[in-house]
Amino acid sequence: MGQNIIQLDNSFEYKLICQGNTAEVFLYDKNKILKLFRKDFPLEIISTELDIAKLISSDLVFVPKVFVLVKYKNRYGILYEKISGKDMIAEMLRKPFKIRSYSKALADTHAKIHTSTVDLSSDIKDKLINNINATTDLSKQEKDKIVSYIKTLPDGKALCHFDFHPGNVMIKNNEFYVIDWMTACNGNAASDAARTYFLLRYGELLYANFFVKLVAHIVEKHIGKIYLRQYKKLTGISDAEIKKWLLPIAAARLIEWIPKSEKIKLLKFIRKQLAKMI
């Protein structure tokens, strides 16, 4: 890794801004936020995120600047540039009349990401295969079948975010900034679009009350339809090209920190797709 780790003052209490499945975000100062990963989250992955974020922020103007790796109360984190705004899903829930325009902007931003030539030396097909082989929710036969299928899919060199959804797009003065590049890699752009569509179709919020989860799920399905239509229009990528990736995308997601209810839906989808391949 070779990263210098700065120890923060454990006696100081930072203000919690928001939280996700893998990390909490705190206000560090007026210009920076602290993304603090959950206890026991692998330091190697956090360090890799820092390296990736530095590369990408040097190429794309709509990516927050990244600073240093830190340790706070026996947890590791990264200091990022503070984007004074709200994430896109929060803005959509607050302003439903803007759902269509924001959904199109989501697709526009994703298409721009896929034009980047940043080389991360990490391939999306390798990532999918590694994640699928690591899950305990599928049998060896099921995993082998999906891995063999992945090897038949088209390669690519596009920059892929691999966790691109409205919660990872910040809005500041009507400009859009993409955050959370921990899973970024290179690969076929259609695979990244498939991942986004799948998150909007099946993804569930882990840290939210029942009402917020319900509303977000309904809204995200609608967003997914608008996003996909706009993305295809901008890129010329077809429905068929995107759908090819849905099975491995679903299988690879099984190793992530997701609610049990989402895992059940994923397994149902995966086994339905596998049955079609017989």
Side-chain angles (χ1 to χ4, degrees), residues 219-252:
V219 169
E220 284 182 333
K221 282 186 178 181
H222 184 54
I223 296 166
K225 292 178 182 178
I226 301 169
Y227 156 83
L228 194 60
R229 185 162 56 246
Q230 178 73 358
Y231 181 82
K232 290 186 295 182
K233 179 181 176 181
L234 290 168
T235 63
I237 293 175
S238 68
D239 248 346
E241 290 174 282
I242 292 171
K243 287 180 179 178
K244 284 178 183 178
W245 293 92
L246 292 179
L247 171 59
I249 291 292

Side-chain angles (χ1 to χ4, degrees), residues 65-77:
K65 294 182 179 67
V66 59
F67 299 104
V68 292
L69 190 64
V70 300
K71 188 175 183 180
Y72 175 70
K73 294 186 177 181
N74 293 317
R75 292 165 64 185
Y76 294 99

Side-chain angles (χ1 to χ4, degrees), residues 37-156:
F37 292 84
R38 298 192 182 278
K39 191 176 180 181
D40 299 324
F41 196 83
L43 177 57
E44 183 179 1
I45 297 177
I46 300 170
S47 182
T48 298
E49 174 175 341
L50 180 66
D51 291 336
I52 288 172
K54 285 180 178 178
L55 273 173
I56 295 170
S57 63
S58 68
D59 186 64
L60 298 176
V61 296
F62 51 85
V63 175
K65 294 182 179 67
V66 59
F67 299 104
V68 292
L69 190 64
V70 300
K71 188 175 183 180
Y72 175 70
K73 294 186 177 181
N74 293 317
R75 292 165 64 185
Y76 294 99
I78 298 173
L79 291 183
Y80 280 98
E81 174 189 5
K82 178 176 178 281
I83 303 298
S84 299
K86 296 182 181 294
D87 67 66
M88 188 181 278
I89 192 68
E91 283 291 276
M92 287 174 165
L93 293 174
R94 196 166 69 93
K95 303 174 183 176
F97 60 92
K98 285 197 170 185
I99 286 178
R100 176 169 292 277
S101 63
Y102 280 156
S103 299
K104 288 185 175 182
L106 187 73
D108 295 346
T109 305
H110 209 184
K112 288 176 185 174
I113 289 171
H114 292 157
T115 65
S116 173
T117 57
V118 169
D119 183 4
L120 301 178
S121 301
S122 173
D123 184 76
I124 206 162
K125 289 169 76 171
D126 291 337
K127 182 187 288 288
L128 290 170
I129 289 170
N130 290 338
N131 289 358
I132 290 165
N133 281 331
T135 184
T136 58
D137 294 298
L138 297 171
S139 69
K140 185 178 184 304
Q141 183 181 16
E142 288 172 324
K143 288 190 278 191
D144 288 347
K145 193 169 185 179
I146 299 170
V147 167
S148 294
Y149 172 69
I150 290 171
K151 291 176 180 178
T152 70
L153 294 173
D155 296 315

